[in-house]
Amino acid sequence: MDMEVTAWHSLHSTMNAQKDRRPFSRATLRRIAVFARPHRSRILRFLLLSVVTALLAVATPVLAGRVVDAIVQGGAAGTVTRLALLIALIAVTEAGLGLLTRWLSATLGEGLILDLRTAVFDHVQRMPVAFFTRTRTGALVSRLNNDVLGAQRAFSNTLSGVVSNFVTLLLTLAVMLTISWQITLLALVLLPVFVVPARRLGARMASLQREAADHNATMGTQMTERFSAPGATLIKLFGRPSDESAAFAARAGRVRDIGIRTAMLQSTFITALTLVSALALALVYGLGGHYALRGSLEPGAVVALALLLTRLYAPLTALAGARVEVMSALVSFERVFEILDLEPLIAEKPGARRVPDGPVSVEFDGVSFGYPSADKVSLASLEEVATLDSDSGTQVLHDVSFTAEPGRMVALVGSSGAGKSTIAQLLPRLYDTDAGTVRLNGVDVRDLTADSIRETLGMVTQDGHLFHESVRENLLLARPEATEEEIWDALRRSRLDGLVASLPEGLDTVVGERGYRLSGGERQRLTIARLLLARQRVVILDEATAHLDSTSEAAVQEALAEALEGRTAVVIAHRLSTVRAADLILVVEAGRVVERGTHDELLAAGGRYEELHRTQFERPGTEADRPVA
């Protein structure tokens, strides 16, 4: 039975390692040692117990042979009893050490998972927004799950397996050669029949597994997209459910066929190896029995050889597959380190200072910017491409300069794609400028701490993103220490307290993925409530009312009036009626500020702003002077 289990393990590890084989990397091994260093005392105890367990595994067959000899030779009953008690003691000790070894293996592996996952999660959080706009979320999550688990196996399984199997192999061979070198050598002749099929069959099964993984990934993508609320709505409105079902069933059917084929290959392999092990055992009993009848070998030695044979083939097969196991684990480590080696484009300077206290001014001084190329912010494996584009993006902003004085509002208007949102993203340092400077209270944002920037700047975007959590948790994201009274005050000021009070669970009502259980206007007001709760001194509004109906827009505008009161504001809007009261309006076209002034000044100038205004309000029924916040 041990040989069957080991044979399956060898086949499985060979199959997995065939997916991605690379040469050993000393740099990778050194980095693994860095992660393993905090666990070195546990690793040493783990290896020591593995060696002791291997010694006990070899001792039991030898003692069993002595029991047989004592019985055949008519020895004293006390001798047999002592040997039996010793075998029982070894069995109990081996069981106890097995549990202790398993506990050390589990704590070691899980501890490593914790260290790796935390390191990758913390590192990914420091990556710029450009990284997330390019990478596939599923591929990134896979590094935190599948690859980290693969790295764990290097410590919890492979490490102990190599040590214990190597010690068991040496001791077993030594004892067997001592008992009968002829029978031992003949038994080893069958080893290639045991190992070679695992290599060939492993490659074939790896190919099937890759195909199945591709189909599963495609089905996963289809389910993820179609099972989200927006995706399900799109399919019901424009899709063909029967075609979707047929495509899914075809892939699922192929996965079923691969599963059947794989199961039969596995069964054939295990059956063949079971037959080989039975033949080897028959060889030992036949040849050993012949020697015993001739008087050249003790009967107990035959029994010991038969029992030792099971302890010989298992470690031999495991060690034959150890290299591919190690290679598979190294690949997992390399894929994890690949993420950790990706340097964030935006990093906090040593000795960075906080945003100065008091009302905050915002200044753009000769700012030019182009989005970074893919090779600077991403990985080819995370984008599912062969190579990353190394060409720098075209320049988006050109020599942009303006100042928003404390407590004043600056509005950005212009055509879609002119660069308005890019300006807003530079202010909280989601990106860094290529030239020029962005300042808060006269200090370059690159010289400020990330925490103080977050505490100073609040932003409301047009999509009003919410997490699939409760109303309370979405609000407390802005200020975790906020009291219940402060939460309800923010909801009241955002004109949302009545709605939340009417929800089934009140503040503990889950809003759904992206807040989809709320209307567009309700989502926007909830993000405004979050901004009010944060009490930030600078507010950035990026098309906060772009997709709302008139009723929702009016409610959001009332909430925005609360949010902007006494704060420095940078407002981006297509609807010019929402920014007429701005202290300064900037008209942005093709990444340049082409006009600046107040609403009346720009209308009088008869330029691009006047053209935009006329285009919006010359339609019949449009009220150019609708009341605004």
Side-chain angles (χ1 to χ4, degrees):
M1 187 64 180
D2 288 342
M3 282 195 288
E4 295 178 27
V5 173
T6 305
W8 161 243
H9 179 68
S10 176
L11 173 64
H12 182 68
S13 61
T14 302
M15 175 186 69
N16 287 337
Q18 290 288 343
K19 296 180 183 179
D20 193 349
R21 302 183 66 175
R22 305 180 190 178
F24 281 99
S25 169
R26 292 184 178 179
T28 300
L29 293 176
R30 285 194 294 269
R31 297 188 66 176
I32 293 173
V34 172
F35 272 94
R37 188 172 296 125
H39 308 279
R40 57 183 178 272
S41 61
R42 189 175 289 115
I43 292 174
L44 291 176
R45 292 196 299 272
F46 181 45
L47 295 178
L48 180 61
L49 286 176
S50 298
V51 172
V52 173
T53 303
L55 291 171
L56 294 176
V58 176
T60 300
V62 175
L63 292 174
R66 292 185 179 180
V67 170
V68 172
D69 286 338
I71 295 172
V72 172
Q73 295 171 5
T79 301
V80 175
T81 302
R82 285 193 297 272
L83 289 172
L85 289 174
L86 184 56
I87 292 174
L89 179 61
I90 290 176
V92 172
T93 304
E94 194 172 0
L97 290 179
L99 290 175
L100 184 56
T101 303
R102 186 68 191 98
W103 178 79
L104 284 172
S105 171
T107 55
L108 182 61
E110 294 300 328
L112 182 70
I113 281 185
L114 174 63
D115 294 344
L116 282 175
R117 278 183 174 159
T118 303
V120 175
F121 185 84
D122 292 346
H123 186 76
V124 169
Q125 283 197 112
R126 293 193 295 270
M127 299 304 294
V129 172
F131 171 79
F132 299 98
T133 61
R134 301 195 63 93
T135 60
R136 293 178 301 136
T137 304
L140 190 58
V141 171
S142 176
R143 301 294 174 101
L144 277 166
N145 290 330
N146 300 337
D147 291 313
V148 170
L149 289 175
Q152 176 213 17
R153 286 193 296 269
F155 283 85
S156 59
N157 295 334
T158 306
L159 182 63
S160 64
V162 169
V163 174
S164 62
N165 285 324
F166 185 72
V167 174
T168 301
L169 177 63
L170 290 180
L171 290 175
T172 304
L173 273 177
V175 174
M176 290 184 70
L177 289 171
T178 301
I179 297 173
S180 174
W181 63 268
Q182 299 95 332
I183 295 177
T184 302
L185 293 180
L186 286 174
L188 290 175
V189 170
L190 295 175
L191 180 63
V193 183
F194 203 80
V195 174
V196 173
R199 297 277 184 168
R200 295 184 176 178
L201 203 58
R204 175 58 184 154
M205 291 180 65
S207 176
L208 291 173
Q209 288 292 334
R210 278 195 297 270
E211 184 182 351
D214 291 339
H215 286 301
N216 280 320
T218 304
M219 287 191 295
T221 300
Q222 182 181 6
M223 287 186 290
T224 301
E225 291 181 344
R226 273 62 172 181
F227 290 172
S228 66
T233 302
L234 184 62
I235 291 297
K236 290 184 181 297
L237 292 176
F238 297 104
R240 297 176 177 83
S242 58
D243 293 346
E244 293 283 334
S245 178
F248 186 87
R251 296 188 184 100
R254 180 54 185 158
V255 172
R256 175 205 59 196
D257 296 339
I258 291 173
I260 295 173
R261 181 80 179 275
T262 301
M264 291 308 300
L265 286 173
Q266 292 171 357
S267 179
T268 302
F269 177 73
I270 297 301
T271 301
L273 293 184
T274 302
L275 177 61
V276 170
S277 65
L279 292 175
L281 197 59
L283 174 65
V284 170
Y285 280 127
L287 190 58
H290 178 70
Y291 285 155
L293 291 173
R294 289 172 50 186
S296 57
L297 195 65
E298 295 294 334
V302 178
V303 174
L305 283 172
L307 293 175
L308 286 169
L309 184 67
T310 62
R311 309 291 174 105
L312 177 67
Y313 269 73
L316 274 174
T317 306
L319 288 174
R323 181 180 180 275
V324 290
E325 290 184 43
V326 171
M327 297 303 298
S328 179
L330 281 177
V331 168
S332 296
F333 270 111
E334 287 174 357
R335 285 169 60 83
V336 173
F337 292 151
E338 192 179 29
I339 298 291
L340 295 176
D341 288 339
L342 191 59
E343 290 292 333
L345 282 182
I346 299 174
E348 188 175 291
K349 285 184 178 180
R353 53 186 293 196
R354 295 182 59 80
V355 177
D357 295 333
V360 180
S361 64
V362 171
E363 180 184 359
F364 276 64
D365 184 6
V367 170
S368 296
F369 172 76
Y371 286 100
S373 58
D375 62 333
K376 293 181 180 179
V377 296
S378 186
L379 295 170
S381 57
L382 293 178
E383 295 192 29
E384 208 174 29
V385 295
T387 57
L388 290 174
D389 182 13
S390 59
D391 295 334
S392 298
T394 57
Q395 204 78 355
V396 178
L397 301 179
H398 308 272
D399 194 26
V400 174
S401 298
F402 69 88
T403 300
E405 298 295 340
R408 302 291 185 177
M409 179 198 294
V410 171
L412 306 176
V413 301
S415 305
S416 296
K420 303 183 298 297
S421 294
T422 302
I423 293 174
Q425 290 174 336
L426 292 176
L427 191 52
R429 210 188 170 197
L430 299 182
Y431 296 92
D432 273 342
T433 63
D434 295 333
T437 308
V438 179
R439 299 186 182 93
L440 292 176
N441 264 3
V443 182
D444 192 331
V445 292
R446 289 169 291 195
D447 296 327
L448 296 170
T449 64
D451 286 341
S452 69
I453 293 177
R454 281 193 293 269
E455 292 169 4
T456 303
L457 295 174
M459 191 170 186
V460 177
T461 58
Q462 56 183 310
D463 58 358
H465 188 81
L466 299 172
F467 289 126
H468 184 75
E469 295 173 353
S470 68
V471 173
R472 184 194 306 275
E473 289 169 316
N474 273 285
L475 290 175
L476 291 180
L477 182 67
R479 194 156 64 90
E481 71 279 6
T483 65
E484 191 92 354
E485 181 181 351
E486 290 172 329
I487 292 174
W488 281 108
D489 179 64
L491 290 171
R492 178 188 57 77
R493 295 167 63 194
S494 61
R495 312 299 189 267
L496 206 59
D497 53 330
L499 171 70
V500 173
S502 67
L503 294 175
E505 303 295 331
L507 285 173
D508 296 317
T509 302
V510 176
V511 299
E513 185 179 5
R514 301 181 184 180
Y516 209 75
R517 296 177 188 175
L518 304 176
S519 70
E522 290 164 352
R523 285 199 300 273
Q524 285 296 74
R525 278 182 279 164
L526 192 56
T527 60
I528 294 170
R530 185 164 58 195
L531 183 144
L532 289 168
L533 193 64
R535 300 176 180 174
Q536 289 143 321
R537 292 173 283 167
V538 178
V539 175
I540 305 169
L541 303 180
D542 187 0
E543 302 286 0
T545 62
H547 305 302
L548 303 180
D549 58 75
S550 299
T551 303
S552 297
E553 182 182 4
V556 171
Q557 286 288 1
E558 291 180 4
L560 288 175
E562 292 275 1
L564 297 179
E565 185 177 357
R567 292 176 168 87
T568 307
V570 176
V571 180
I572 299 172
H574 277 114
R575 299 182 184 179
L576 302 186
S577 61
T578 64
V579 297
R580 288 200 314 270
D583 299 286
L584 176 65
I585 298 175
L586 305 177
V587 182
V588 182
E589 294 294 343
R592 302 179 186 274
V593 178
V594 295
E595 295 179 15
R596 66 180 68 210
T598 64
H599 171 76
D600 293 335
E601 291 171 348
L602 292 174
L603 280 182
R608 176 59 176 159
Y609 183 83
E610 189 275 335
E611 180 183 349
L612 292 171
H613 189 274
R614 176 165 34 85
T615 301
Q616 287 190 21
F617 297 117
E618 69 182 1
R619 298 189 300 272
T622 301
E623 299 180 9
D625 296 322
R626 182 173 51 191
V628 295

